[in-house]
Amino acid sequence: MTVDTAPIWTPRLTLEPLAVEHAAEMAEALSDPALHTFIGGSPATAEQLRDRYTRMVAGPPPGGDDAWLNWVIRLEGPDRLVGYVQATVAAGQASVAWVVGTPWQGRGIAGEAALALLSWLREHGVTDVVATIHPDHSASSALARRLGLVPTDARMDGEVIWCSG
């Protein structure tokens, strides 16, 4: 699947297609070790993110039917990157994720960005959506419900698989 991402605007946010140049600012935005309690790992350095973003921007290996769609979240006003949203689309189904840096959590940013992402996906013909969420991550679970996703009994790497109804 080939899909070109473009900026997505909301009242407070611009979702910018991921670029390698975002690495340094994103390393700062995602630097709190507490952020990784539910998503795993540890904060990446700017260099590690540059390497990761280089691979992500290149896209999936040729010949596959996957599309890797990645946006950074720019908060207007302070004009700074505060997180990201992503979707991996395969066979008409999108696996979505959202992450907002600790200083900006609790402001509705993840919800605003995720709703914009799902709207964009629907406009591009994707209606089947899944997300995997740590069972103890109440904020992400609440957001998944707001997005119309429902938890299933299925698990992936210990996380609950949520799917569109």
Side-chain angles (χ1 to χ4, degrees):
M1 174 180 195
T2 302
V3 178
D4 289 326
T5 57
I8 302 169
W9 291 275
T10 74
R12 297 183 298 161
L13 310 172
T14 301
L15 306 184
E16 298 177 8
L18 179 69
V20 175
E21 294 76 25
H22 292 131
E25 192 173 353
M26 287 299 293
E28 182 181 332
L30 306 176
S31 65
D32 183 0
L35 177 65
H36 299 268
T37 300
F38 296 116
I39 63 174
S42 59
T45 65
E47 186 59 38
Q48 290 168 325
L49 285 182
R50 262 191 293 284
D51 292 345
R52 183 179 310 154
Y53 291 175
T54 298
R55 290 188 306 275
M56 292 169 73
V57 168
D65 191 34
D66 293 4
W68 292 352
L69 310 174
N70 299 279
W71 291 265
V72 293
I73 303 168
R74 181 172 298 282
L75 179 62
E76 302 301 330
D79 189 31
R80 65 172 299 125
L81 298 181
V82 298
Y84 63 87
V85 292
Q86 60 189 33
T88 300
V89 181
Q93 181 183 69
S95 177
V96 299
W98 51 85
V99 174
V100 171
T102 307
W104 303 281
Q105 291 178 3
R107 301 181 191 183
I109 293 169
E112 190 173 328
L115 285 166
L117 171 62
L118 265 58
S119 177
W120 187 94
L121 288 168
R122 282 191 297 274
E123 290 171 11
H124 288 82
V126 176
T127 56
D128 189 16
V129 175
V130 299
T132 58
I133 300 172
H134 191 283
D136 297 329
H137 199 312
S138 58
S140 279
S141 295
L143 176 51
R145 280 191 184 85
R146 184 171 163 213
L147 297 173
L149 304 179
V150 294
T152 69
D153 291 332
R155 300 285 187 271
M156 178 183 295
D157 297 328
E159 295 190 330
V160 177
I161 298 176
W162 291 68
C163 64
S164 49

